[in-house]
Amino acid sequence: MGAWLDIGWLNEIPVRGSRTVQVEGGDDIAIFRTGENKLFALLDRCPHKHGRLSQGIVHGGAVACPLHNWRISLTSGEALGEDKGCTPTIPVKVSGGRVLICRASTLKAAA
């Protein structure tokens, strides 16, 4: 097994949107693409009430949870503003137009 999981083409992830990757026996991973064309991957679960972050709206470097509008940093996974909590981040990169996420971090975060 390689160190990186190929999850598809970059152009399959909408700008200011997300795509999810199912993890057997664990929580899904959400891959976000910002308006600046940067990619981030987080466990698809808000630290507050476990809302699916992939269903939230991407604003700059954060995503708003669809349940209670908590803003979660795409870089650190930390809740922003007055809110407290963190969701695990997953290393992500693009190679040849393909999006890759770190296998070990994905398995650890989703467990």
Side-chain angles (χ1 to χ4, degrees):
M1 276 192 200
W4 294 90
L5 295 170
D6 184 328
I7 61 144
W9 292 102
L10 173 62
N11 63 5
E12 294 175 337
I13 303 171
V15 174
R16 289 182 295 282
S18 68
R19 176 177 175 204
T20 58
V21 175
Q22 293 182 338
V23 178
E24 187 175 328
D27 289 310
D28 291 349
I29 303 298
I31 294 86
F32 298 93
R33 185 174 174 189
T34 67
E36 293 78 32
N37 215 31
K38 294 180 181 178
L39 291 180
F40 299 92
L42 300 172
L43 197 66
D44 192 18
R45 184 182 63 200
C46 178
H48 176 225
K49 296 276 187 177
H50 304 279
R52 294 183 52 101
L53 294 175
S54 61
Q55 296 174 1
I57 297 172
V58 175
H59 295 281
V63 60
C65 176
L67 293 182
H68 297 99
N69 208 32
W70 275 36
R71 291 180 36 251
I72 307 299
S73 167
L74 294 173
T75 304
S76 67
E78 292 283 338
L80 300 173
E82 301 277 326
D83 302 318
K84 301 290 182 220
C86 187
T87 192
T89 61
I90 310 294
V92 61
K93 67 180 182 178
V94 177
S95 178
R98 303 288 295 179
V99 177
L100 308 166
I101 57 175
C102 178
R103 181 183 302 275
S105 296
T106 297
L107 295 175
K108 180 180 176 184

